[in-house]
Amino acid sequence: VIPMVMIIYNTFFSGGKFDASLFTRVIFDKENLGAMKNTILIAFFVTLFGTMVGVFFAWLLGRSDIPLKSLMRSMFNIPYMFPPFFGAMAWDLLLSPRGGYLNNWLMSTFGMEKPLFNINSLGGIIFVEVSYYFPFVFMQVVSALERMDPTLEESARIAGATQGYVIRKITLPLVLPAISSGAILILISSLSHFGVPSILGFSQNIFTLPTKIYQLVNRASGDFQGIREGAALSILLVFVVMIALMVQNKMLKTGGYDIIRGKSMRPMLVHLRGAKIPLLILSIISLIIIVVVPLVMIFLVGLLKAYGLPLTPQNMTFANYKKLLVGNMMVTDSIKNSLFLSITAGIICMFLGVMVAYVIIKVQPKGKGLLEVISLLPYSIPGMVLAIGVILSWSGALKINLYNTIWIILIAYIARYLAFSMKSASASLQQVHYSLEDAARSCGATHMESLKDVTLPLIRPAIISGFFLIFLPAMRELTTSVLLYGPYTRTLGVAIYSLKTDGNVVQASALASL
């Protein structure tokens, strides 16, 4: 709550008096308006195409008889685990107009004067973000499709409906909550994402709101005015996200259907017949482009003696890894910092999330709704905005100065990831019947003993999964850390980003591979 209050206060108040001049000046600045337009444009198309791709492959793997289903399902989950800014690095190495390996090969092979592709563009940013955000929709929709009551579709077929009509008028409307839930995750992630637009857009002066906020804060160089301008832009970013959440709520109100019934039956698979092999080839090509090509590119460039050399065995060496791991203080410190932050944030959020979930689900005091909203709010607030709020709160304004220390990053991580463990614990606690604790209490156990001996052991799997839900994204985090790190508090994501922006492409790729 404090960081959000500080953002509003520093935007609209100056010297203790209300002053909206900063906000209006920042909002109507020509460059900032351009950044807002790019942000909305990118987020719209990433959400549109990401949702289409996610729904298509979810239907294909969840409801059709396509071969290699289980293998492909695992493969389509990989982009979710792969940091998007790594993907941006890989595609930049392949398709940048000046030094992209694929562009150079096409130009030399076919005698072209200009590069065929330009990844450093709005289209390039949209393509890369779609590649790594569509699993948000894919994972939710494939699960909903597999649990759907098959009689609804069968009734339509008996009444003479074609397969296309059934999919369009029955299947998709029934899974609309899952689609819109995944789509809003894509939208929020795209609106607030820093890594991909900065890696692919900075060189062409393509700015989004997060990259513009970063530029304003970095340009400040100790001048508080830059941070205040960043805070004003942050409010604009939150406003755009809130509109998106309101649109989702409106969609869900019109699309609520009961799709899971008590009967134990699985939906019938659609037979693809002649389309089976073409769709299988399409899926494999998509996986190669989205998963295999970027991974292979990062690994190969990480082995090169120098960036720009041909990707041949004689130009490759493991010396880059030795350089990174032996005597490189920045890299070793960043690995230690990321491990410390990820493990500590995971443990603190795990306990705090369980505690909050227990109060909301089991204790149910007055005001539990407000507690739940406050716990979940940071998940819908962009990481860049949270970082600005944390800087304004814990850099001396409230007599506590944590700036340039690891603790300010830890506070931001706890705020950002608390929702993960809380939701994981809430889902599990709802399955623990109150009679189990009552039985312990009737045998003489105290409230704390019944919690320790009965409830916590039953929800242990959810607690552990909540820890890893925090540990994994925190290890590769960039958007929040990039504004909060100090000389000795670089994280792993920041170290890779710094190496890349400083021109050490080969070392950045090697560290990304690690």
Side-chain angles (χ1 to χ4, degrees):
V1 173
I2 292 171
M4 294 313 297
V5 170
M6 290 299 284
I7 285 177
I8 294 166
Y9 178 79
N10 281 280
T11 302
F12 293 107
F13 289 85
S14 180
K17 294 179 181 177
F18 181 78
D19 180 11
S21 60
L22 172 79
F23 183 72
T24 51
R25 179 167 55 79
V26 168
I27 295 307
F28 293 108
D29 178 84
K30 192 178 176 183
E31 284 188 9
N32 294 340
L33 282 171
M36 183 170 71
K37 182 186 170 187
N38 289 340
T39 305
I40 293 169
L41 207 63
I42 291 167
F44 173 77
F45 284 110
V46 168
T47 306
L48 178 67
F49 295 132
T51 302
M52 287 166 63
V53 171
V55 169
F56 173 73
F57 284 115
W59 181 85
L60 203 59
L61 298 181
R63 299 301 303 275
S64 77
D65 61 343
I66 195 165
L68 306 175
K69 198 180 285 189
S70 58
L71 172 66
M72 284 201 291
R73 189 157 171 181
S74 304
M75 292 285 281
F76 273 115
N77 286 331
I78 289 175
Y80 173 71
M81 297 176 270
F82 196 73
F85 81 96
F86 284 15
M89 279 171 55
W91 286 107
D92 192 44
L93 294 168
L94 268 169
L95 299 178
S96 69
R98 283 184 293 181
Y101 279 97
L102 183 58
N103 274 333
N104 287 346
W105 179 79
L106 288 170
M107 286 164 74
S108 61
T109 306
F110 299 103
M112 297 177 184
E113 290 183 12
K114 291 183 179 179
L116 187 61
F117 301 104
N118 181 10
I119 201 72
N120 303 116
S121 59
L122 280 176
I125 294 169
I126 291 166
F127 165 72
V128 173
E129 288 195 10
V130 167
S131 300
Y132 297 101
Y133 287 147
F134 82 87
F136 285 134
V137 168
F138 170 78
M139 289 189 289
Q140 302 222 35
V141 175
V142 79
S143 174
L145 284 170
E146 287 178 340
R147 294 176 296 145
M148 189 192 294
D149 181 4
T151 57
L152 301 162
E153 293 170 308
E154 286 164 8
S155 301
R157 288 197 192 96
I158 290 165
T162 62
Q163 185 60 56
Y165 185 90
V166 171
I167 292 168
R168 197 172 71 254
K169 291 285 188 180
I170 294 168
T171 312
L172 292 182
L174 285 173
V175 293
L176 185 62
I179 294 171
S180 78
S181 181
I184 205 71
L185 283 174
I186 295 178
L187 186 61
I188 291 171
S189 301
S190 180
L191 283 170
S192 59
H193 189 66
F194 169 78
V196 175
S198 68
I199 287 171
L200 299 181
F202 269 166
S203 62
Q204 303 297 316
N205 284 324
I206 298 171
F207 289 100
T208 60
L209 286 176
T211 57
K212 197 70 191 169
I213 291 168
Y214 173 78
Q215 189 194 43
L216 284 169
V217 174
N218 267 21
R219 200 171 61 194
S221 303
D223 177 17
F224 192 65
Q225 188 63 15
I227 296 173
R228 286 191 68 215
E229 288 178 7
L233 270 189
S234 298
I235 288 178
L236 186 62
L237 192 52
V238 171
F239 180 68
V240 173
V241 170
M242 290 304 165
I243 290 173
L245 288 169
M246 284 162 63
V247 169
Q248 187 216 20
N249 283 336
K250 194 161 181 65
M251 282 175 68
L252 283 177
K253 277 178 186 172
T254 58
Y257 301 95
D258 297 323
I259 65 165
I260 304 170
R261 299 290 169 88
K263 298 174 186 174
S264 176
M265 53 176 133
R266 295 181 65 82
M268 286 175 61
L269 294 180
V270 174
H271 298 288
L272 297 174
R273 298 187 179 88
K276 188 185 286 187
I277 300 303
L279 285 173
L280 176 64
I281 292 167
L282 174 68
S283 302
I284 290 168
I285 290 170
S286 300
L287 282 170
I288 289 169
I289 292 170
I290 293 167
V291 178
V292 180
V293 171
L295 277 171
V296 170
M297 196 65 201
I298 288 279
F299 280 112
L300 288 178
V301 173
L303 291 168
L304 281 177
K305 291 175 183 174
Y307 178 56
L309 291 173
L311 298 170
T312 53
Q314 58 266 33
N315 291 328
M316 300 206 175
T317 175
F318 283 102
N320 299 319
Y321 291 93
K322 191 179 176 184
K323 232 182 259 182
L324 287 172
L325 295 172
V326 181
N328 191 324
M329 287 294 289
M330 185 192 84
V331 171
T332 50
D333 282 352
S334 70
I335 293 171
K336 285 177 192 171
N337 289 337
S338 279
L339 282 170
F340 170 77
L341 288 164
S342 304
I343 293 169
T344 310
I347 291 169
I348 293 172
C349 285
M350 189 171 69
F351 283 111
L352 193 58
V354 169
M355 195 158 61
V356 172
Y358 187 80
V359 169
I360 292 166
I361 304 294
K362 297 294 184 185
V363 181
Q364 296 189 345
K366 284 181 180 177
K368 71 182 180 79
L370 180 64
L371 180 64
E372 188 171 13
V373 168
I374 292 170
S375 303
L376 295 175
L377 187 64
Y379 183 61
S380 59
I381 292 171
M384 192 68 74
V385 176
L386 189 62
I388 291 270
V390 170
I391 290 169
L392 291 170
S393 304
W394 312 118
S395 300
L398 302 174
K399 308 300 180 191
I400 299 172
N401 192 351
L402 301 176
Y403 196 60
N404 279 348
T405 68
I406 203 163
W407 307 111
I408 198 167
I409 305 176
L410 181 61
I411 287 171
Y413 279 16
I414 292 167
R416 191 168 184 202
Y417 295 122
L418 174 63
F420 289 34
S421 62
M422 201 207 89
K423 292 304 281 182
S424 178
S426 292
S428 198
L429 277 168
Q430 283 172 334
Q431 295 176 316
V432 178
H433 199 267
Y434 63 87
S435 61
L436 298 169
E437 275 193 26
D438 286 352
R441 298 290 294 278
S442 64
C443 292
T446 64
H447 196 108
M448 190 56 72
E449 283 173 335
S450 66
L451 176 64
K452 179 171 67 74
D453 296 334
V454 177
T455 309
L456 289 180
L458 287 172
I459 64 166
R460 191 182 294 128
I463 294 172
I464 294 166
S465 72
F467 171 81
F468 282 104
L469 276 172
I470 295 156
F471 175 80
L472 292 170
M475 269 301 287
R476 66 185 195 210
E477 210 283 329
L478 175 67
T479 303
T480 306
S481 315
V482 79
L483 283 186
L484 298 175
Y485 78 95
Y488 304 106
T489 59
R490 275 188 175 90
T491 60
L492 199 50
V494 170
I496 294 166
Y497 180 76
S498 299
L499 286 168
K500 169 76 173 70
T501 51
D502 289 345
N504 299 320
V505 177
V506 171
Q507 287 189 23
S509 299
L511 188 54
S513 303
L514 283 171

